Amino acid sequence: DAGVTQSPTHLIKTRGQQVTLRCSPKSGHDTVSWYQQALGQGPQFIFQYYEEEERQRGNFPDRFSGHQFPNYSSELNVNALLLGDSALYLCASSSGWEQFFGPGTRLTVL
Amino acid sequence: EDQVTQSPEALRLQEGESSSLNCSYTVSGLRGLFWYRQDPGKGPEFLFTLYSAGEEKEKERLKATLTKKESFLHITAPKPEDSATYLCAVQEGEGSTLGRLYFGRGTQLTVWP
């Protein structure tokens, strides 16, 4: 049984560009959450998707948007990239209270 | 204001030297407290969930406990492979059906032979 998978593993972009990150949840999980983790910090909640709807959002600007598909997979889109968006982006899936994380996507903005 | 504070920020132990990591929280209506292990450049790995004060859970050399204000992760006779960053996260419950986690900054544990 595959766990949470994310793609790509690494990504390098320049300021002003747009990026799309992808996540496939663990089998049987219907909820996907996205987190941003800067170096040396704990993960910060971006938003959570359930039944293809964004149902909770953290303190992130509208440049961060997402989508959940009928098969429960999800995308995170970031527009107009800033240097400060460089981080490890983590996807977590759940079907109850416990969230299981994927390996993350390392985004570097130059 | 941070909802979750972890201490110490970093801890160096000799192999076999037991110790404890602390996680204090200020959220109201705690639904659950979670411990994760994170290796460099990787996603957090789930360890434990604690739901109510007095609850304890164990896994190999790790034991997690919970009070009304804090949680401890006790590491007994650690080995070098226990070296990692240990993250604590809380989930609020009162008036909410949502699953957002609030994380601390973690404790970076190094166990040397």
Side-chain angles (χ1 to χ4, degrees), chain A residues 7 14 20 30 34 38 46 57 62 64 66 70 72 78 82 84 106:
Chain A
S7 64
T14 57
T20 298
D30 56 9
W34 287 92
I46 302 175
R57 188 179 183 93
D62 291 344
F64 290 77
Y72 307 120
V78 187
L82 303 174
R106 170 69 63 188

Side-chain angles (χ1 to χ4, degrees), chain B residues 31-66:
Chain B
R31 172 181 291 165
L33 184 141
F34 305 83
W35 282 99
Y36 289 87
R37 169 194 169 126
Q38 187 174 29
D39 293 305
K42 298 190 177 181
E45 174 191 346
F46 173 78
L47 294 174
F48 304 108
T49 308
L50 301 167
Y51 292 107
S52 57
E55 189 174 359
E56 298 183 351
K57 288 192 176 173
E58 289 188 64
K59 179 181 180 180
E60 296 180 354
R61 295 177 292 283
L62 300 177
K63 178 180 177 181
T65 62
L66 180 65

Side-chain angles (χ1 to χ4, degrees), chain B residues 86-102:
Chain B
Y86 290 85
L87 294 167
C88 172
V90 298
Q91 198 172 60
E92 293 181 300
E94 281 186 356
S96 172
T97 61
L98 305 175
R100 170 182 184 160
L101 294 178
Y102 295 87

Side-chain angles (χ1 to χ4, degrees), chain A residues 35 37 42 56 97-99 102, chain B residues 31 36 38 43 49 99-100:
Chain A
Y35 294 81
Q37 187 176 25
Q56 193 177 25
W97 306 136
E98 295 164 353
Q99 297 186 16
Chain B
R31 172 181 291 165
Y36 289 87
Q38 187 174 29
T49 308
R100 170 182 184 160

Side-chain angles (χ1 to χ4, degrees), chain B residues 1-4 25-32 68-69 90-96 102:
Chain B
E1 180 184 349
D2 290 342
Q3 281 93 347
V4 181
Y25 60 91
T26 57
V27 295
S28 60
L30 179 74
R31 172 181 291 165
K68 289 188 177 180
K69 299 273 185 166
V90 298
Q91 198 172 60
E92 293 181 300
E94 281 186 356
S96 172
Y102 295 87

Side-chain angles (χ1 to χ4, degrees), chain A residues 16-102:
Chain A
Q17 286 189 309
Q18 177 264 342
V19 68
T20 298
L21 311 181
R22 295 176 176 82
C23 171
S24 290
K26 189 177 169 66
S27 178
H29 287 184
D30 56 9
T31 302
V32 173
S33 304
W34 287 92
Y35 294 81
Q36 179 195 65
Q37 187 176 25
L39 204 60
Q41 304 293 316
Q44 297 292 314
F45 176 77
I46 302 175
F47 41 53
Q48 184 177 77
Y49 277 85
Y50 172 71
E51 292 188 339
E52 302 180 52
E53 297 281 335
E54 181 186 297
R55 66 175 190 172
Q56 193 177 25
R57 188 179 183 93
N59 189 25
F60 279 81
D62 291 344
R63 298 187 296 109
F64 290 77
S65 63
H67 188 78
Q68 186 179 34
F69 299 94
N71 67 353
Y72 307 120
S73 66
S74 177
E75 288 183 349
L76 164 66
N77 300 291
V78 187
N79 294 322
L81 285 166
L82 303 174
L83 295 179
D85 294 332
S86 295
L88 181 67
Y89 287 84
L90 297 163
C91 166
S93 74
S94 56
S95 61
W97 306 136
E98 295 164 353
Q99 297 186 16
F100 295 86
F101 285 82

